C-alpha cells in the first residue's frame, strides 16, 4: 500500500531545465550523482514544487509561478530563510539547502530543500488508512495543536523579529487584501463591497500577543508519517508567513474548512477531508484552539469572514493569470465561480452574526 505523496508529469508550460539545475546544484551541494529526473507535485496553485530524483538522493525544488505575479509575492529568499531559522523552534520545517538568486538558471529564483516523504491529505481521507471517527478526531486535534504550537513560538529567539510588523496588522490586512483584490479583479468577478464595508466597520484591535502566522495552514500543506498517519512530521508552504494576529491566521485556516453539513455548492469547494466523520466543526475547531492556546474567543465571525475574503483574493489572483492566458492550467477555469460562492458564504455569516 503506497499512500505517500507522489509527483507526476510536469504540467505543460511549467517545465524546468534539468541540465541547468544539475550544474548549479553540483556547484553548491556535494555527493550528487548523475542527472536529476524531474517530476512535479500535483498541488500548488501559487509557487510550484518539483521533485529532483538523483541516483541516491531526492530533493524538492520550489519556484514562483509563471506569468503575472503580485508585487512582493513569491519571495524565494524569504521562504528559504524562514525554513532555516524557524526549524529549531518548530521542527516540522523541512531543511532548506540552497537558494539560487541567479534567474538565468531557470528564469526565476528558486530554492532546494529536504524531501520529507509522507502522506499529504487532499480532498478525502484515503480508504486504505481505515481511520475510525475517534482516530480522525485525534488527527484533527493534532492538526490544530501544531498551529497553536507555531503561534506560541518565540520569534524573537528565532531571529525573525523583522519578519513582519504586528502593530496595525488587522487594519493592514483588510486594506491590503482590498487593494490586491481590486488589482486582480476581472470583469466577471464579484465586487465584495458589502463584505468589505462590514469588515471595516467591525474591525477589532490587534491581538495582544502577536505571533508567527503561517497564512496558508491546511491539511494539504502538512505531511503525515506514513507509518503513523496520526502524527504530523512536516509543515509546508511558508511563502506567506509573517508576524501578526494569530486569530487572523486561524480565520485563514477556517476559510478552507468545509463541514459535512455545509450546502452542496459549498462542498464543491472542499480540498481537504474536513467533512470526514470525526473532524471537528468550525466552531469545535475554534473552541479547541482557544482551549489549547489558553485564551477566550467570544465571537469568531470577523476572523472567519476575513478569511473568506482573503481566500477570494488569492483565488482571484490565480484566476487573473488564467483569464489573461498567462497559465493554461485548466484547474483555474472555475475559480471565478468559487470567488462568487465565497462572497455568498461571507454574506450569509454576516446576516447571522451577533457583531
Amino acid at each position: 500500500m503506497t499512500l505517500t505523496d507522489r509527483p507526476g508529469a510536469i504540467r505543460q508550460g511549467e517545465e524546468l531545465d534539468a541540465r541547468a539545475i544539475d550544474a548549479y546544484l553540483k556547484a553548491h551541494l556535494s555527493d550528487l550523482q548523475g542527472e536529476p529526473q524531474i517530476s512535479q507535485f500535483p498541488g500548488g496553485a501559487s509557487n510550484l514544487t518539483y521533485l529532483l530524483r538523483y541516483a541516491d538522493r531526492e530533493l524538492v525544488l520550489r519556484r514562483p509561478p509563471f506569468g503575472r505575479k503580485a508585487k512582493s509575492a513569491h519571495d524565494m529568499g524569504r521562504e528559504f530563510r524562514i525554513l532555516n531559522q524557524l526549524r529549531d523552534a518548530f521542527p516540522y520545517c523541512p531543511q532548506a539547502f540552497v537558494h539560487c538568486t541567479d534567474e538565468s538558471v531557470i528564469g526565476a529564483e528558486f530554492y532546494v530543500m529536504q524531501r520529507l516523504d509522507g502522506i499529504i491529505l487532499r480532498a478525502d481521507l484515503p480508504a486504505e488508512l481505515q481511520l475510525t471517527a475517534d482516530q480522525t478526531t485525534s488527527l484533527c486535534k493534532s492538526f490544530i495543536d501544531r498551529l497553536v504550537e507555531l503561534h506560541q513560538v518565540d520569534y524573537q529567539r528565532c531571529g525573525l523579529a523583522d519578519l513582519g510588523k504586528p502593530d496595525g496588522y488587522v487594519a493592514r490586512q483588510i486594506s491590503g487584501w482590498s487593494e490586491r483584490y481590486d488589482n486582480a479583479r476581472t470583469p466577471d468577478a464579484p465586487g465584495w463591497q458589502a463584505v468589505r464595508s462590514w469588515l471595516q466597520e467591525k474591525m477589532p484591535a490587534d491581538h495582544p500577543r502577536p505571533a508567527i502566522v503561517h497564512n496558508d495552514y491546511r491539511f494539504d500543506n502538512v505531511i503525515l508519517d506514513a507509518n503513523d498517519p496520526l502524527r504530523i512530521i512536516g509543515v509546508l508552504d511558508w511563502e506567506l508567513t509573517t508576524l501578526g494576529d494569530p486569530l487572523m491566521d486561524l480565520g485563514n485556516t477556517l476559510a478552507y474548512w468545509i463541514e459535512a453539513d455545509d450546502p452542496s455548492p459549498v462542498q464543491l469547494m472542499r480540498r481537504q477531508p474536513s467533512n470526514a466523520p470525526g473532524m471537528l466543526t468550525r466552531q469545535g475547531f475554534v473552541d479547541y484552539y482557544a482551549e489549547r492556546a489558553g485564551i477566550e474567543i467570544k465571537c469568531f465571525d470577523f476572523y472567519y469572514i476575513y478569511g473568506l475574503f482573503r481566500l477570494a483574493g488569492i483565488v482571484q489572483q490565480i484566476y487573473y493569470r488564467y483569464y489573461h492566458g498567462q497559465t493554461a492550467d485548466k484547474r483555474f477555469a472555475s475559480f471565478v465561480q468559487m470567488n462568487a460562492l465565497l462572497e455568498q458564504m461571507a454574506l450569509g455569516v454576516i446576516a447571522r452574526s451577533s457583531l
Side-chain angles (χ1 to χ4, degrees), residues 13 27 32 87 137 141-142 157 166 228 234 266 294 319-320 322 334:
L32 294 180
R87 194 163 179 262
T137 301
K141 289 182 175 180
S142 178
R157 293 187 64 182
D228 180 8
V266 177
Y319 179 71
Y320 181 98
Y322 178 83
S334 64

Side-chain angles (χ1 to χ4, degrees), residues 12 48 57 62 81 128 159 169 194 198-199 261 288 324 339 350:
Q12 184 177 358
L48 306 177
R57 187 175 185 185
R62 291 264 288 172
R81 177 194 172 205
E128 298 92 330
Y169 181 81
W198 187 91
L199 288 169
D261 293 338
Y288 182 75
H324 289 284
N339 182 354
I350 288 173

Side-chain angles (χ1 to χ4, degrees), residues 17 57 71 88 135 140 143 167 198 225 294 323 330 343:
D17 185 333
R57 187 175 185 185
K71 184 181 179 182
D88 285 344
Q135 288 175 317
C140 183
F143 177 73
D167 291 344
W198 187 91
D225 186 338
Y323 183 90
K330 297 298 184 183
E343 184 187 38

Side-chain angles (χ1 to χ4, degrees), residues 141-157:
K141 289 182 175 180
S142 178
F143 177 73
I144 302 169
D145 287 340
R146 301 292 78 74
L147 184 61
V148 172
E149 186 177 341
L150 175 64
H151 290 165
Q152 293 179 341
V153 166
D154 185 340
Y155 57 81
Q156 299 272 1
R157 293 187 64 182

Side-chain angles (χ1 to χ4, degrees), residues 80-207:
F80 177 84
R81 177 194 172 205
I82 290 168
L83 287 174
N84 281 337
Q85 292 189 221
L86 183 56
R87 194 163 179 262
D88 285 344
F90 192 74
Y92 310 96
C93 294
Q95 183 177 359
F97 299 120
V98 177
H99 170 220
C100 176
T101 60
D102 182 357
E103 295 192 7
S104 70
V105 178
I106 64 168
E109 288 192 26
F110 66 90
Y111 73 87
V112 171
M113 65 180 174
Q114 171 190 18
R115 191 323 173 55
L116 290 176
D117 200 8
I119 300 169
I120 294 181
L121 299 178
R122 304 204 188 275
D124 299 299
L125 287 176
E128 298 92 330
L129 289 180
Q130 298 182 328
L131 296 185
T132 65
D134 286 345
Q135 288 175 317
T136 301
T137 301
S138 294
L139 174 60
C140 183
K141 289 182 175 180
S142 178
F143 177 73
I144 302 169
D145 287 340
R146 301 292 78 74
L147 184 61
V148 172
E149 186 177 341
L150 175 64
H151 290 165
Q152 293 179 341
V153 166
D154 185 340
Y155 57 81
Q156 299 272 1
R157 293 187 64 182
C158 296
L160 292 172
D162 61 343
L163 193 60
K165 298 177 181 178
D167 291 344
Y169 181 81
V170 174
R172 203 162 55 248
Q173 291 304 299
I174 301 305
S175 62
W177 279 107
S178 289
E179 181 179 355
R180 285 188 284 274
Y181 186 85
D182 287 336
N183 288 341
R185 191 176 175 190
T186 49
D188 50 350
W192 282 82
Q193 295 302 335
V195 177
R196 293 198 231 183
S197 296
W198 187 91
L199 288 169
Q200 287 286 348
E201 178 187 346
K202 303 297 183 181
M203 192 182 306
D206 292 317
H207 193 279

